[in-house]
Amino acid sequence: MITERQITSILKKRGYKLTPQRKAILKVITQSYDHLTPYNIYERVHQESPDVGLVTVYRTLDLLTKLGLICEVHAEGNCHSYLVKRPSEQHHHHLLCSQCGTVVDFVDCGVEELQERLCQKTGFEIHDHLLEFVGCCRNCQKTTPS
């Protein structure tokens, strides 16, 4: 995972201020191995720094996403969750459980080859893509009557 120190360095190099609020948010995000919603992040930050507001969490997440430092998952509705990117991480995709919210990352599914074929066939220049499958995880399948 990218460390708090690495993210701090990147922010400084790009001219962004490192406020105490941003530091608190970075600490929470970089110490988690789970996808966190903005509210999860807010709750954890708020325990240590009660002066940090939810709007500040959203703004910081937006900045970190635009800089490509965190991974954003689009769940049902307009709910998003976030995870710090790993330095050697290749482009990955997500499986989302619509019942419990579990997020599973996966790679090597042939999407990159599809992207290349689409570019060749259409002449379209694709800069990025997002692939998420929504379904029901194994645990929820066991507890949900058919």
Side-chain angles (χ1 to χ4, degrees), residues 50-107:
D51 61 318
V52 177
L54 188 56
V55 171
T56 302
V57 171
Y58 275 104
R59 286 183 182 148
T60 302
L61 292 172
D62 187 48
L63 172 64
L64 297 174
T65 301
K66 286 179 183 174
L67 294 175
L69 300 172
I70 60 175
C71 177
E72 180 180 41
V73 176
H74 302 83
E76 289 186 25
N78 266 341
C79 186
H80 297 108
S81 64
Y82 301 85
L83 179 70
V84 172
K85 288 191 173 182
R86 293 158 188 91
S88 61
E89 181 177 279
Q90 57 184 325
H91 189 83
H92 70 277
H93 309 284
H94 304 107
L95 300 170
L96 308 170
C97 180
S98 59
Q99 293 189 18
C100 70
T102 294
V103 178
V104 176
D105 296 340
F106 68 95
V107 296

Side-chain angles (χ1 to χ4, degrees), residues 10-28:
I10 292 167
L11 290 174
K12 285 181 179 178
K13 284 179 185 175
R14 298 203 181 172
Y16 294 98
K17 292 181 181 177
L18 196 60
T19 64
Q21 294 85 356
R22 279 189 182 156
K23 285 182 184 180
I25 294 166
L26 289 176
K27 181 179 178 183
V28 167

Side-chain angles (χ1 to χ4, degrees), residues 111-133:
V111 172
E112 285 72 18
E113 291 81 10
L114 173 61
Q115 178 177 320
E116 196 57 39
R117 285 195 316 269
L118 287 169
C119 288
Q120 290 173 359
K121 186 175 182 175
T122 65
F124 200 85
E125 185 177 306
I126 298 172
H127 301 285
D128 200 5
H129 65 268
L130 172 70
L131 178 63
E132 296 175 346
F133 291 100

Side-chain angles (χ1 to χ4, degrees), residues 44-55:
R44 292 180 186 189
V45 168
H46 198 71
Q47 291 173 1
E48 299 289 321
S49 304
D51 61 318
V52 177
L54 188 56
V55 171

